[in-house]
Amino acid sequence: MRVLIAGAGIGGLTTALSLHAAGIEAELVESARRPRPLGVGINLLPHAVRELTALGLGEALAGIGLPAEELVHFDRHGNRVWGEGRGTALGYRWPQIFVHRGELQMLLLEAVQERLGADAVRTGTTLTGFTEEAGGVTSRVRDQDTGTGSEIRADVLVGADGLHSAVRKALHPDEGGPLWNGVRLWRGTTEADPFLDNRTMAVLGSKHAAKFICYPISREAADRGRALVNWLGEVQERPVDPDDPAGTAGGLTEVPDWNREGRIEDVMPYFEDWNVPWLDVPGLIKGAGEILEYPMVDRAPLPFWTRGRVTLLGDAAHPMYPLGSNGGSQAVLDARALAYELARAATPEEGLAAYDAARRETVNAIVIGNRVNPGDAILHTVAERAPDGFARIEDVLTPDELAPLAAGYQSITHTDDMNRDSPWAVSAAPPPARTR
């Protein structure tokens, strides 16, 4: 079997590694001419770390990222509202890892090139269409530099080509654009002094006025006694529609772009007067070398990911709001499940159908769960009742009022058994690296 993967992001690269481990040949096409460690931070949930560890990448991952110890909500003044352990501190066998998205992608790319061959990823190559035929798929691609078109024949096509997936558009041509919930995001990374224990994700404030999220993402910086802080500013820019509180009606006129440059003068007014004793919020924003800006969007869950020998994976299948650290983690789980089902199926069609059945409804539920975020309502209540801060959260909220915050995270992040081994382990001996 030969599989063509469109997209060399986290999902596509993990798919290639997983297929290789199952004895299945894989090739990737990637529109970027020279993949570079772009982007900001990402959280890898324990079940994603488990799967990458099963691929032999656990030690390398630990060498670039940091194990998460706790997630804590604070008001905008830095007073603790609620917190919960993360990773091994929550009882998992595997850690949750804070890591730079670009460094993770480069780690995966290097592993693919080492195991599958130096030319396993065709960069500067864009998928423009495909034709499903008896016994395979012919994909049409275009060289970004020359504009020359060519065709690639494979047994299976996997669309791991992101939010604006060409494969998804072909499978669901009448879907329309991404849906916006009215929240605007600004993101950046800044080297600074460590805060708290240098292993905590801190969530301050509420999106109804302004929310600030930050966590450290670099082992190298930590080893120097510093912190490379990934930060995110979040503001409810469009009022919440009481008839559509999740924002699923859309209303977005711009084209979402995860790498669009943001302006400091747009984000600073929301945070310039923040005075948190243990965190210099304005300083983190001002210290960023680059600020990214984009609307918080997702897409409606699909009724199917797979048609014949073509399927979707990662953001192409299930773009979701960045809550609960699920985006990249679910792409890793997709990749592992896909390789497992293809390896044990009698035909590619049967394998892809089994993958769709194993993953689609599970992830669709997470997409919907991410739209309903009880934490913001609770934190908004804290801000209304104690605008100048508080000494004890018990003086502001009752235990019953606070309980939905923990329950919300449990529904969208505790989605896998804490102690089971990988359910998608494959036993086939991997083939030797290809040299073309």
Side-chain angles (χ1 to χ4, degrees):
M1 192 187 307
R2 183 165 181 254
V3 177
L4 177 66
I5 304 164
I10 292 170
L13 292 167
T14 306
T15 300
L17 292 169
S18 300
L19 290 169
H20 178 76
I24 297 172
E25 184 179 358
E27 181 179 9
L28 302 97
V29 291
E30 166 58 43
S31 59
R33 293 178 175 88
R34 290 174 292 278
R36 294 177 293 141
L38 301 175
V40 285
I42 185 175
N43 265 294
L44 284 177
L45 295 177
H47 27 283
V49 174
R50 174 193 65 199
E51 299 303 327
L52 293 175
T53 300
L55 284 170
L57 300 174
E59 185 176 344
L61 184 59
I64 61 173
L66 294 172
E69 295 290 334
E70 195 172 19
L71 163 69
V72 184
H73 281 270
F74 303 88
D75 70 357
R76 61 158 288 175
H77 306 288
N79 301 303
R80 184 183 176 108
V81 175
W82 171 87
E84 182 179 68
R86 280 291 173 265
T88 55
L90 189 59
Y92 280 92
R93 285 169 56 190
W94 296 269
Q96 178 171 322
I97 300 291
F98 298 145
V99 66
H100 192 287
R101 178 183 290 271
E103 289 194 23
L104 172 62
Q105 186 175 358
M106 293 302 101
L107 185 156
L108 294 170
L109 176 61
E110 290 171 6
V112 166
Q113 292 173 331
E114 177 183 330
R115 299 179 190 184
L116 279 71
D119 58 351
V121 182
R122 292 176 55 171
T123 58
T125 305
T126 301
L127 179 82
T128 59
F130 59 89
T131 303
E132 300 171 72
E133 303 162 335
V137 183
T138 297
S139 296
R140 296 180 294 279
V141 299
R142 183 180 66 249
D143 185 281
Q144 293 278 61
D145 289 326
T146 66
T148 303
S150 60
E151 294 183 342
I152 302 175
R153 171 83 175 178
D155 299 293
V156 169
L157 171 63
V158 177
D161 45 346
L163 177 66
H164 303 291
S165 167
V167 180
R168 179 176 178 133
K169 186 173 183 179
L171 296 179
H172 300 273
D174 300 324
E175 180 183 24
L179 305 174
W180 182 43
N181 66 352
V183 173
R184 180 75 52 182
L185 305 173
W186 292 271
R187 301 194 68 168
T189 59
T190 305
E191 183 167 310
D193 292 328
F195 65 90
L196 301 177
D197 61 356
N198 209 26
R199 299 291 188 277
T200 293
M201 174 186 282
V203 182
L204 301 96
S206 162
K207 70 177 184 181
H208 297 278
K211 179 195 288 185
F212 193 82
I213 303 170
C214 59
Y215 52 92
I217 58 172
S218 170
R219 168 70 66 181
E220 185 275 333
D223 289 344
R224 292 188 285 107
R226 299 283 284 166
L228 181 62
V229 180
N230 177 79
W231 60 262
L232 182 153
E234 179 179 321
V235 175
Q236 185 78 45
E237 193 172 84
R238 187 185 66 190
V240 176
D241 182 350
D243 296 324
D244 182 28
T248 56
L252 184 67
T253 57
E254 65 192 278
V255 177
D257 178 1
W258 301 144
N259 294 312
R260 184 174 67 198
E261 185 176 354
R263 304 188 311 165
I264 192 170
E265 56 265 34
D266 291 333
V267 62
M268 275 304 296
Y270 294 103
F271 300 100
E272 59 190 355
D273 64 341
W274 280 37
N275 184 19
V276 177
W278 46 269
L279 185 71
D280 182 4
V281 172
L284 287 174
I285 297 171
K286 294 175 183 177
E290 178 185 39
I291 295 176
L292 303 178
E293 175 202 344
Y294 49 88
M296 187 184 288
V297 298
D298 70 359
R299 289 186 184 273
L302 291 174
F304 65 89
W305 293 352
T306 300
R307 186 178 71 194
R309 294 188 176 212
V310 179
T311 196
L312 301 171
L313 183 146
D315 277 353
H318 48 73
M320 61 184 70
Y321 298 159
L323 304 172
S325 313
N326 267 300
S329 294
Q330 293 302 322
V332 170
L333 301 190
D334 290 346
R336 297 288 286 158
L338 175 63
Y340 175 79
E341 298 296 352
L342 282 176
R344 71 193 193 120
T347 67
E349 291 90 344
E350 290 180 12
L352 294 186
Y355 156 70
D356 196 304
R359 291 292 296 154
R360 181 170 48 82
E361 289 303 322
T362 297
V363 186
N364 282 353
I366 296 173
V367 173
I368 297 300
N370 279 4
R371 289 176 172 178
V372 183
N373 182 11
D376 278 315
I378 294 168
L379 296 170
H380 185 52
T381 299
V382 171
E384 288 183 321
R385 294 181 183 177
D388 299 321
F390 58 86
R392 298 172 65 251
I393 189 59
E394 295 84 357
D395 298 330
V396 183
L397 294 176
T398 68
D400 287 344
E401 289 175 317
L402 195 56
L405 205 158
Y409 277 105
Q410 185 170 13
S411 69
I412 61 175
T413 65
H414 306 178
T415 56
D416 203 329
D417 188 288
M418 291 185 177
N419 294 302
R420 70 170 175 170
D421 291 320
S422 170
W424 300 303
V426 289
S427 57
R434 291 178 289 142
T435 54
R436 295 182 185 170

